[in-house]
Amino acid sequence: MGKDDVKLLSMWASPFCMRVKVALAEKEVAYEEILENDLMGGKTELLIQSNPVHKQVPVLLHDDKPVVESTNILTYIDEVWPAKPLLPTCAYGKSRARFWADYIDRKVFPAGRNIWTAKEDGQVESARKEFLDILMYLDGTLGDKDYFNGDNFGFVDILLIGLTSWFPAFEKYGGFKVEDHYPKLAAWITRSYARKTVSESLTNPEKITNFVGMMRQMYGIE
């Protein structure tokens, strides 16, 4: 399948787009990336037509048919290109993966955003505690495994690893290090970044941190 069949409407700083790029790389699916340059201002007509409800990236265009929302896109990718499955093969394993996918989607990035948007020390402290409490459960379910899927890098790993590109920004403005609290989770991040599919799909965290600093100035936080 060539790039003409698969397109990804994307934005360089979006951790949700990074998830999809990792999944496509794991599946060895060729695609064309079409970048949105100004999601805070004008949005392209292609994005609005492809995702008229939310008008957000990522959008996967497969044979010109749009698939939206990153977790939904990962499920679609796993079903359409079944080689090297991302989800576990057993029903129980799938149910566990979907539980943690929902947990990650609802909690991790919103809690991180609360850190870098906080203006007062008390707000920062509260947001930091909330974020670290959320990671506690992820660290616990990872345990001593190499990946959330056991020996294989899979669905839950991809969902979380995209978000970790923003972790250094959360650490900077929250005054903490994930490694100091959850060394196993930090080792998982390092292990995952060692994969070519991850390192070539994720934006440099330093660039993300600079982007967050720019947004803090724009919003009058600092």
Side-chain angles (χ1 to χ4, degrees):
M1 178 171 292
K3 290 184 179 180
D4 291 342
D5 301 303
V6 183
K7 297 180 176 67
L8 176 63
L9 308 189
S10 181
M11 192 272 184
W12 66 268
S14 167
F16 306 101
C17 295
M18 295 179 212
R19 290 171 162 179
V20 179
K21 292 172 68 174
V22 172
L24 290 169
E26 286 287 329
K27 294 284 190 173
E28 300 181 2
V29 176
Y31 65 96
E32 176 188 357
E33 185 177 19
I34 302 174
L35 289 171
E36 291 280 330
N37 294 319
D38 186 14
L39 292 183
M40 292 177 285
K43 299 182 181 182
T44 65
E45 190 62 29
L46 179 59
L47 174 59
I48 294 170
Q49 290 176 352
S50 302
N51 190 0
V53 176
H54 298 299
K55 302 178 180 64
Q56 294 176 337
V57 292
V59 178
L60 185 74
L61 295 173
H62 183 206
D63 293 331
D64 294 324
K65 294 179 291 188
V67 186
V68 302
E69 300 295 320
S70 62
T71 303
N72 182 49
I73 293 172
L74 259 64
T75 302
Y76 178 87
I77 288 170
D78 207 27
E79 291 177 353
V80 173
W81 295 281
K84 297 176 64 176
L86 303 178
L87 280 163
T89 55
C90 69
Y92 179 72
K94 285 186 174 73
S95 74
R96 293 283 295 172
R98 291 184 179 119
F99 170 84
W100 288 112
D102 178 68
Y103 180 87
I104 291 166
D105 281 347
R106 287 189 296 109
K107 292 183 175 292
V108 176
F109 199 68
R113 182 174 57 240
N114 288 341
I115 294 174
W116 70 261
T117 57
K119 293 185 177 182
E120 300 176 0
D121 290 345
Q123 293 175 329
V124 172
E125 183 179 354
S126 176
R128 177 176 61 240
K129 182 180 184 305
E130 178 191 18
F131 183 75
L132 289 173
D133 285 349
I134 288 167
L135 293 191
M136 176 183 66
Y137 291 102
L138 291 169
D139 183 73
T141 195
L142 175 65
D144 293 323
K145 302 189 296 290
D146 283 346
Y147 300 108
F148 286 93
N149 196 32
D151 294 332
N152 299 316
F153 184 78
F155 191 78
V156 175
D157 300 284
I158 294 174
L159 287 174
L160 185 56
I161 200 61
L163 305 185
T164 64
S165 61
W166 283 65
F167 278 20
F170 303 158
E171 292 175 331
K172 177 179 178 179
Y173 295 107
F176 69 97
K177 289 288 186 183
V178 170
E179 184 176 12
D180 293 340
H181 296 267
Y182 305 114
K184 291 180 181 179
L185 192 61
W188 166 83
I189 294 173
T190 300
R191 189 179 305 118
S192 298
Y193 267 76
R195 300 177 68 86
K196 187 176 180 180
T197 56
V198 173
S199 62
E200 293 187 354
S201 300
L202 267 58
T203 300
N204 186 302
E206 183 178 354
K207 188 176 180 180
I208 296 293
T209 302
N210 293 337
F211 177 66
V212 171
M214 181 191 71
M215 288 195 292
R216 282 170 59 88
Q217 292 180 349
M218 185 173 64
Y219 296 149
I221 299 171
E222 61 179 33

